[in-house]
Amino acid sequence: MRERRRLRMGLLALVSLVLLGAVPLYFGMRTLSRDPVFDTLDALDVPSWAATKTVDNVSGSRWCLQDCRLRERAVESDQGWKQTVAVYEQALAKDGWRRWKVDRCPEEQVEGSYTCWRRDELTLDLWVRDPACTPPPVDGEPAPSAPPAPAAATCTGSLVSVKVRNAIDDERTGPTPTTDPSLTGEDPFPTLTDDPLGEPTPSPS
């Protein structure tokens, strides 16, 4: 009987240790695998129609080993891009983000609305535009260049793209290189003439 009691106590202690270690391990692994920036984006105060479908993607290292982390989020909205961008900009400002007017925002002219934002050590690019109404390929054939009329009637809403980077890894936060000729210095190479031997050097008298 004593051996059975000891065995039961040992099993209970082992199960307790496993449970006590598994719970912190689970939440720790969840914290490491889930980027907190996405939690911040989830907390944005936008209506449900402005985030009907969300797809997240992340690349790079959280500790900026070789490449810093890039967080990308694609969102579908039921309303047009003008209504959608208004609620997103209001939500970002409410959450502490500030408009960032900087060159190369965007890199090239795009449709819809493209704005840049900063908060603490992060930068954020917000691009809201009309959806792509081209239907997907059928039976392996390429998609047509123009959608048929019925598909165009159901192509509504807008698309939202969000990119969040570490400010230290965003090249737009650094100084812009200048091409001022006064900073290039003198040309170390002499100007060549037609005479391959050059002018004779006068000898000292």
Side-chain angles (χ1 to χ4, degrees):
M1 292 295 294
R2 292 180 179 178
E3 292 181 357
R4 290 181 179 178
R5 290 179 181 178
R6 291 178 180 176
L7 182 60
R8 290 179 181 177
M9 292 297 295
L11 290 176
L12 289 175
L14 180 60
V15 171
S16 300
L17 290 175
V18 171
L19 292 178
L20 291 175
V23 173
L25 180 62
Y26 168 76
F27 285 104
M29 294 297 295
R30 182 179 178 182
T31 301
L32 291 176
S33 60
R34 176 67 176 178
D35 196 300
V37 173
F38 289 121
D39 295 333
T40 302
L41 297 178
D42 291 337
L44 290 178
D45 187 15
V46 296
S48 58
W49 56 260
T52 58
K53 184 179 180 181
T54 302
V55 177
D56 292 334
N57 186 32
V58 62
S59 60
S61 170
R62 180 178 298 183
W63 296 276
C64 289
L65 300 176
Q66 294 185 345
D67 295 324
C68 288
R69 176 154 291 191
L70 171 63
R71 302 93 169 170
E72 297 179 280
R73 167 167 289 191
V75 185
E76 294 183 5
S77 172
D78 288 338
Q79 300 293 331
W81 70 266
K82 292 184 178 180
Q83 296 87 345
T84 302
V85 73
V87 297
Y88 270 91
E89 289 184 353
Q90 182 179 2
L92 288 172
K94 184 179 179 181
D95 197 42
W97 292 88
R98 295 294 177 262
R99 287 287 293 268
W100 183 31
K101 296 182 180 180
V102 64
D103 294 337
R104 293 183 295 168
C105 176
E107 295 283 350
E108 58 185 18
Q109 193 66 27
V110 295
E111 297 181 354
S113 173
Y114 198 109
T115 54
C116 297
W117 303 72
R118 286 197 66 171
R119 194 186 76 171
D120 300 331
E121 77 282 1
L122 299 175
T123 65
L124 182 147
D125 289 31
L126 174 67
W127 182 24
V128 187
R129 74 276 188 193
D130 291 329
C133 299
T134 304
V138 179
D139 297 333
E141 298 180 357
S145 57
T154 59
C155 185
T156 59
S158 57
L159 297 179
V160 181
S161 295
V162 180
K163 292 185 179 181
V164 182
R165 286 177 282 186
N166 294 61
I168 193 174
D169 191 49
D170 195 328
E171 64 277 1
R172 297 171 298 181
T173 60
T176 303
T178 179
T179 56
D180 187 353
S182 64
L183 303 179
T184 59
E186 297 182 357
D187 188 0
F189 300 100
T191 303
L192 299 178
T193 63
D194 295 335
D195 187 355
L197 300 179
E199 297 181 358
T201 303
S203 57
S205 56

